[in-house]
Every structure is written in structure tokens, then in C-alpha cells.
Amino acid sequence: MKRFYLIGFLVLMGFDTLAQISFKYAGAQALPLEFSTSWLLRVFSQPWIYGAFVGYVGAFFAWMTLLKHAPIGPAFAASHLEIVSVLLLSVWLFDERIGVPQVMGGLFIVAGIVCLALSETEDDAPGGNPGAGSASANAAALAGDNASHGR
């Protein structure tokens, strides 16, 4: 299951990163903004806008697949790893500069995701605290108790 999560979140991060980078390129071609048919034709004649669509659709399906198995808390945090990947790619692709605050923010994001993932693993162990992933199991057990008592 760990391999599923690792590959799934890498796929999700890849699609999200593709969408953001594509929007950056498409946005540069879309300026100045206008509300006209010629502007729409100009935007949709750029290949990067389709990269953004592919990124968002791919991210949607990757996210839905991950949510089927992963607990929502750590999964939601891990779904934001594209912030780090886009930050790193912006240096290479757009010659943007990153400083100490951006590096620290990226490290905090990764550290937070690791903490959430570790806490979820500890919660799954016998005697661990029930986490967000076990809330539905507790609700199902409670519903079973109510049904057996004729409520």
C-alpha cells in the first residue's frame, strides 16, 4: 500500500505541476486580458492551455483514486507537494529567484506532510489513537450497536 501512495502522490504532484507550469506559459501569451472572441482564439491557439487542461484532469483522477484509499488528513496535505515542485521548476524554467523564506516554507511543507504521514501510521498500530481514517469505522460500529439495541 505504501508503494501505491508513493506512486499516486508522485503522479498527482506531476499533474498538478504540469497544470501550474502550463498556466504560467499560457498566461504569458494571454496578456493583455480582453473579453473578446479574438482573445479567446489567441488563448486557445496556444498549446500550453491544453497542458493545463491535461494537468487538471489528470490531477482530478489521481486525487479521486488516492482518496478511495488514503485518509483525508495526510492526503490533503500531501496533495500540496506541487507547491515545492513548482517552486523548484520556476528557478529552472522562468529564472525566478528563491530565497531563504521560500526554502524554509518548502521545508515546512515537506516536514508537515511527513509528520502527518507518521502520525497516521502510528494511529493504525494496535493501541494507537483513532485518527481521521478510523472515524467511519467508529460510526459504523456505533450504528451497529444502535441497530442491535433496537434503536
Side-chain angles (χ1 to χ4, degrees):
M1 192 54 105
K2 287 182 180 181
R3 181 179 291 171
F4 170 80
Y5 289 148
L6 178 66
I7 293 171
F9 281 109
L10 286 175
V11 169
L12 177 64
M13 184 175 69
F15 278 123
D16 278 336
T17 302
L18 173 66
Q20 297 308 316
I21 297 295
S22 295
F23 265 125
K24 175 73 173 176
Y25 280 122
Q29 304 297 321
L31 295 176
L33 296 177
E34 301 172 13
F35 189 69
S36 66
T37 305
S38 63
W39 179 80
L40 284 173
L41 290 174
R42 182 167 36 107
V43 168
F44 285 101
S45 67
Q46 301 298 319
W48 288 107
I49 196 72
Y50 299 104
F53 285 132
V54 168
Y56 273 117
V57 170
F60 172 79
F61 284 106
W63 180 236
M64 291 297 112
T65 303
L66 283 166
L67 281 183
K68 189 174 181 179
H69 303 284
I72 186 71
F76 187 67
S79 71
H80 291 83
L81 276 171
E82 87 274 6
I83 294 170
V84 176
S85 63
V86 169
L87 179 70
L88 294 175
L89 285 174
S90 70
V91 173
W92 178 49
L93 296 173
F94 306 112
D95 292 325
E96 293 182 3
R97 298 183 59 144
I98 58 172
V100 172
Q102 290 90 356
V103 171
M104 293 297 292
L107 290 175
F108 280 129
I109 290 170
V110 172
I113 292 167
V114 169
C115 287
L116 287 170
L118 291 175
S119 70
E120 190 66 31
T121 302
E122 292 170 1
D123 290 346
D124 291 341
N129 294 328
S134 63
S136 60
N138 290 338
L142 183 60
D145 287 346
N146 288 339
S148 66
H149 291 100
R151 294 181 193 170

